[in-house]
């Protein structure tokens, strides 16, 4: 979990340095902060990999954030990012208690 938490922090740092419009930044930041909150939930840690939200998923998120914060946030890029984060939030906050 520490690695995943660290990746979210890196994403937030990239976002802070980006020249993305403020309202878009805030939307992404809120979702990333929700993800951090879910990661801190102790009952999740053992279930993350089984539920399809392992390190590779977080690495993919970081890679996508780098592209978008590097200036390519127009059009579908930001929508795709928001959908990706939304999907991760669903996995992290979803039915992991089976």
């Amino acid at each position: 979990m520490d690695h995943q938490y660290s990746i979210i922090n890196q994403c937030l740092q990239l976002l802070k340095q980006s020249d993305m419009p403020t309202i878009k930044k805030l939307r992404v930041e809120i979702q990333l902060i929700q993800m951090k909150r879910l990661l801190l939930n102790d009952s999740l840690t053992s279930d993350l990999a089984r539920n399809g939200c392992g390190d590779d998923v977080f690495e993919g998120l970081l890679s996508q954030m780098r592209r978008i914060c590097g200036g390519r946030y127009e059009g579908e890029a930001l929508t795709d990012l928001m959908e990706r984060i939304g999907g991760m939030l669903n996995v992290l906050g979803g039915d992991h208690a089976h």
Side-chain angles (χ1 to χ4, degrees):
M1 182 198 75
D2 289 342
H3 182 64
Q4 293 161 341
Y5 196 82
S6 166
I7 286 176
I8 294 173
N9 284 333
Q10 290 176 58
C11 289
L12 285 165
Q13 193 60 40
L14 285 167
L15 193 61
K16 223 179 262 185
Q17 297 165 354
S18 138
D19 63 350
M20 190 184 302
T22 304
I23 192 71
K24 292 180 180 183
K25 268 190 193 183
L26 288 173
R27 285 188 185 132
V28 174
E29 184 178 19
I30 287 166
Q31 283 194 309
L32 290 171
I33 290 170
Q34 283 178 314
M35 201 180 300
K36 278 174 76 168
R37 188 178 53 80
L38 288 170
L39 277 176
L40 290 173
N41 180 344
D42 290 337
S43 66
L44 283 177
T45 52
S46 60
D47 294 336
L48 283 175
R50 282 201 305 273
N51 284 339
C53 219
D55 285 350
D56 56 332
V57 175
F58 281 84
E59 293 289 349
L61 173 65
L62 181 57
S63 172
Q64 192 173 5
M65 284 293 297
R66 284 188 179 126
R67 283 192 306 275
I68 288 173
C69 292
R72 292 185 283 281
Y73 52 80
E74 296 304 321
E76 295 298 307
L78 191 62
T79 303
D80 291 346
L81 175 69
M82 297 293 278
E83 286 175 3
R84 177 186 207 126
I85 294 172
M88 291 172 76
L89 284 170
N90 284 339
V91 171
L92 292 172
D95 304 322
H96 60 273
H98 302 314

